[in-house]
Amino acid sequence: MAESNYLPYHFVNYLRSPGLQAKAGTIPLAQYLCKTKSNGGNDSATSLIGKLRWMKDGGTGSQMNTLVGGVAVDLALKGQGSGETFIAIWDFMCRNKEQLKKLNVEVCGRRERGDSDTKVVLKTGNVYDLYFKGKSDKAAIQAMINDRFFGIDCIGFTGTFLMFTGEWTKYKGATPRQWADWHCSKKINHAKDIKPLDFMIWTGGGHIAIVDWVWSMVDDKTVKVDVCQSSSGEQIGPQCNEFVHLREGSIDGSGRRQYYISHRGSPRMPVDGHVYVMRRNGFFW
């Protein structure tokens, strides 16, 4: 636990503005991907990674799963991969394009929240013909990101941010609600005490974000902040929402203050509702 040299917006910029530095070029990871079906699912990614991970480099070399690492591939599949992992997968694909002619995939849209058991298949075909034929490698990978083969969810964003800062040396899985117990357990119960790098955990347990910057108190119970997260909405994937207002509500049975988002900022916060604000001991800007 230590001082961070980076704010969350630095991480957003690393991922998407300008993006990840692959051999194909600079590629923005501007996509939200979550394996949870009610959050859209990861059907395109599953269709690709389940086969690609066992492909041999150059046809006879090591499998991608060995080169990238099985755990790293698993995390990328569910929207929690690191930037380095995505780059390694993209580089592998680009140097093995001939083999992609035999790798058939389903291109899938987001599952509907009200019908999350139904897979939304948009088209099928081999990866080379669908994406690489007639395109630059950079354009091909970007098109695959747009079609949800690669992306990052809210937990993946917060966890890989801690790796980006050096706070973690390896990824630690947890649900958003478990973060409040395991990874950032200090309760922040007054708006005036909120600081950059505090974590916002939705009281229903379904989402997590990070306070990027604190601007000022709007009144004695409301603070104006910037928030970084990965979600859908006006901007898809890693994003920074500026000038969000968090207003104090009641303290619940857990002893944590509930804050409600009284102004969703710009671009508009994709998820509203009530949040806890939690701090990781010894982690500060």
Side-chain angles (χ1 to χ4, degrees), residues 16-33:
R16 68 177 299 157
S17 302
L20 299 174
Q21 306 296 314
K23 289 184 178 179
T26 303
I27 302 174
L29 186 67
Q31 184 58 269
Y32 173 78
L33 180 73

Side-chain angles (χ1 to χ4, degrees), residues 56-223:
K56 293 184 176 181
D57 201 9
T60 58
S62 298
Q63 294 174 330
M64 190 193 80
N65 198 68
T66 299
L67 295 173
V68 179
V71 172
V73 174
D74 287 341
L75 290 171
L77 173 60
K78 60 183 181 179
Q80 296 169 24
S82 68
E84 291 82 0
T85 296
F86 288 116
I87 290 169
I89 293 173
W90 299 341
D91 288 350
F92 181 90
M93 293 176 65
C94 291
R95 66 177 181 264
N96 288 281
K97 286 182 286 188
E98 192 65 27
Q99 294 190 76
L100 298 181
K101 293 178 180 179
K102 299 178 182 179
L103 200 166
N104 293 315
V105 294
E106 295 177 331
V107 181
C108 299
R110 284 178 58 92
R111 293 195 183 213
E112 298 294 333
R113 188 174 292 272
D115 187 20
S116 61
D117 288 332
T118 301
K119 183 161 58 173
V120 182
V121 180
L122 304 177
K123 56 186 174 181
T124 61
N126 73 72
V127 174
Y128 181 86
D129 286 345
L130 286 172
Y131 294 102
F132 284 87
K133 187 175 182 179
K135 297 188 183 77
S136 68
D137 290 352
K138 177 179 177 179
I141 297 299
Q142 192 64 67
M144 294 188 76
I145 293 171
N146 295 343
D147 281 346
R148 306 182 71 254
F149 287 95
F150 308 103
I152 191 165
D153 69 6
C154 65
I155 306 167
F157 180 85
T158 53
T160 53
F161 171 68
L162 290 186
M163 294 173 64
F164 179 77
T165 65
E167 177 71 2
W168 281 357
T169 57
K170 64 179 182 179
Y171 188 86
K172 301 176 184 180
T175 66
R177 183 61 184 81
Q178 288 168 336
W179 269 73
D181 296 323
W182 298 353
H183 303 321
C184 51
S185 57
K186 184 176 180 179
K187 301 184 286 286
I188 306 302
N189 282 351
H190 300 285
K192 64 181 178 60
D193 295 330
I194 294 175
K195 296 180 179 180
L197 303 187
D198 286 343
F199 293 84
M200 295 167 54
I201 299 172
W202 269 248
T203 58
H207 192 53
I208 186 171
I210 316 175
V211 175
D212 178 70
W213 196 249
V214 177
W215 290 103
S216 61
M217 294 296 293
V218 177
D219 57 43
D220 61 351
K221 293 187 179 296
T222 308
V223 62

